């Protein structure tokens, strides 16, 4: 069963659940009102009799004609003594004469059933001074009451039937309108599944309900999936290019060895060195890809408290002997403790400093300072710089400003992507500021 059908049936059942008790309440109070009104009419007739006929005349036999002028339709009036003996009576419904008389010392008014027929009975004590000497009994068949209640039942029945039909059709129409964006979403998703072409739902800016938010979220999700698919295709293309280049070199040199390598040992040695270098480069790229995938999917960090200045000093001592370019550290304080994964942060330092050493001319300056709730790290080199138009792509996988020069320096285009993933996992940011021939500045912010 579709969700819109369930919603329509649920709203229909909810409406019926409200309508039926409401119908019973209306019927009960209307019937009670009509009953009280019928009782008041009979009591009014009894008061008129007491007002115009004395108690002695009511109980004096053969005074039946006195009661006829006060006789309503479908009614019987009789006066009985204390022993329930009928003294006078008048009736225009002969069926009521069979009802046995009953003396009452107090006023009574109730609805009763006699021979499967409802009767309204009113009894008023007949007093002679303070003494009760008999009872005036008025019994009526509430024909008008029954007809009125029957008409009420018919009206309520027709209204309830109309309300049920309207609510049923309205519920289905309302659920169809409410779930129209869902139907469109399902249709578009099926089209995307069959054609692999991304589409978005049309949005109505005037509507800001939950379905609008769902459609907007769906569109954002489509954008992210499309971006992810585009990056994935680019990633596959870049990986294929990287390995294709290395495999082409390896294939070329192995073919060269097969033809001439055994005759020319110098050529043989050169080819083996090239194959070995490309194999190492492919292994390095593979390890970096695995590391990047692990960072993006597992995102497990081992936090500890350590001094960032000591870590930078240790890293500089590790890299400085490998290059003639100067690495200078300018900390704002003697110590700067942070809570982070020490090994991962060290890897970021190695990646950024390694890039700076590759492209710097003479020196690299490192500035460390504490700013409010975060630590700011600035790595400034005096190298060739990066064109401003390529800065937005510098953290993409396999992106390299100069592919030929990157191959010479051993770059794979994955280092900055790994660094950004590590900094993002720590809740920080990393950015590059650079211009051609004006050096490069790496700014890292860590909480």
């Amino acid at each position: 069963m579709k969700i819109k059908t369930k919603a329509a049936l649920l709203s229909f059942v909810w409406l019926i659940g409200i309508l039926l008790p409401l119908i019973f309440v209306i019927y009960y109070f209307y019937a009670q009102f009509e009953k009280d009104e019928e009782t008041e009419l009979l009591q009014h007739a009894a008061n008129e009799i007491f007002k115009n006929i004395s108690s002695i005349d009511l109980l004096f036999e053969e005074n039946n004609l006195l009661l006829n002028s006060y006789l309503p339709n479908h009614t019987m009036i009789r006066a009985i003594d204390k022993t329930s003996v009928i003294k006078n009576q008048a009736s225009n419904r002969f069926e009521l004469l069979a009802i046995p008389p009953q003396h009452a010392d107090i006023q009574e008014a109730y609805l009763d059933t006699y021979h499967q027929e409802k009767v309204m009975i009113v009894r008023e004590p007949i007093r002679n001074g303070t003494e009760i000497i008999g009872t005036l009994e008025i019994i009526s068949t509430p024909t008008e009451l029954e007809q009125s209640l029957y008409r009420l039942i018919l009206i309520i029945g027709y209204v309830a039937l109309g309300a049920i039909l309207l609510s049923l059709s309205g519920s289905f129409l309302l659920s169809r309108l409410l779930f129209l964006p869902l139907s469109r979403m399902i249709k578009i998703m099926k089209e995307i599944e069959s054609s692999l072409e991304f589409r978005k739902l049309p949005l109505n800016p005037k509507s800001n309900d939950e379905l609008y938010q769902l459609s907007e979220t769906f569109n954002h999700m489509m954008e992210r999936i499309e971006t992810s698919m585009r990056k994935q295709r680019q990633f596959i293309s870049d990986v294929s290019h990287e390995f294709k280049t290395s495999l082409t070199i390896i294939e070329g040199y192995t073919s060269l060895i097969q033809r001439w390598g055994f005759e020319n040992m110098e050529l043989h040695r050169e080819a083996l060195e090239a194959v070995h270098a490309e194999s190492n480069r492919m292994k390095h790229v593979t390890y970096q890809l695995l590391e990047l995938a692990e960072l993006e999917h597992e995102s497990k960090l081992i936090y500890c408290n350590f001094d960032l200045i000591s870590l930078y000093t240790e890293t500089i001592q590790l890299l400085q002997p490998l290059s003639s370019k100067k690495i200078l550290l300018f900390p704002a304080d003697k110590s700067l403790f942070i809570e982070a994964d020490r090994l991962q942060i060290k890897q970021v330092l190695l990646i950024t400093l390694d890039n700076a050493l590759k492209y710097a001319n003479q020196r690299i300056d490192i500035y460390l300072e504490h700013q409010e709730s975060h630590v700011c790290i600035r790595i400034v080199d005096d190298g060739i710089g990066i064109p401003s138009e390529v800065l937005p792509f510098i953290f993409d996988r396999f992106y390299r400003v100069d592919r030929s020069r990157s191959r010479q320096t051993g770059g794979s285009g994955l280092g900055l992507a790994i660094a950004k993933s590590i900094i993002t996992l720590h809740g920080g940011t990393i950015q590059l500021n650079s211009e051609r021939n004006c050096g490069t500045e790496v700014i890292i912010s860590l909480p």
Side-chain angles (χ1 to χ4, degrees), residues 20-147:
L20 290 179
L22 185 62
I23 288 174
F24 285 119
V25 169
I26 291 174
Y27 178 81
Y28 172 79
F29 282 106
Y30 183 80
Q32 193 68 31
F33 174 77
E34 290 291 327
K35 175 186 172 183
D36 294 341
E37 189 174 359
E38 188 77 16
T39 303
E40 288 179 3
L41 290 175
L42 297 181
Q43 289 176 339
H44 179 71
N47 292 333
E48 288 294 321
I49 293 173
F50 285 133
K51 183 178 179 181
N52 298 309
I53 303 176
S54 65
S55 58
I56 301 299
D57 292 336
L58 283 174
L59 294 176
F60 189 76
E61 294 183 1
E62 305 302 331
N63 278 346
N64 294 337
L65 296 177
L66 294 175
L67 301 177
N68 284 333
S69 57
Y70 302 98
L71 190 65
N73 295 330
H74 314 292
T75 306
M76 176 186 68
I77 302 176
R78 58 191 177 188
I80 59 178
D81 61 11
K82 295 182 68 172
T83 60
S84 299
V85 176
I86 300 172
K87 296 299 183 180
N88 291 294
Q89 69 178 0
S91 175
N92 48 29
R93 286 290 302 272
F94 296 104
E95 298 87 349
L96 301 177
L97 297 175
I99 298 176
Q102 182 179 342
H103 171 70
D105 291 333
I106 57 174
Q107 182 183 15
E108 293 179 351
Y110 59 92
L111 189 66
D112 201 359
T113 302
Y114 184 76
H115 289 174
Q116 298 181 349
E117 184 177 9
K118 291 187 179 297
V119 292
M120 179 70 68
I121 300 174
V122 172
R123 295 188 179 95
E124 294 280 351
I126 301 175
R127 301 176 184 275
N128 185 11
T130 58
E131 182 185 0
I132 298 175
I133 60 175
T135 303
L136 179 66
E137 192 175 52
I138 303 177
I139 302 175
S140 173
T141 55
T143 305
E144 294 181 359
L145 174 62
E146 291 179 353
Q147 291 177 351

Side-chain angles (χ1 to χ4, degrees), residues 27 148-158:
Y27 178 81
S148 178
L149 294 179
Y150 177 73
R151 287 193 297 269
L152 177 63
I153 291 174
L154 286 179
I155 293 172
I156 289 178
Y158 285 126

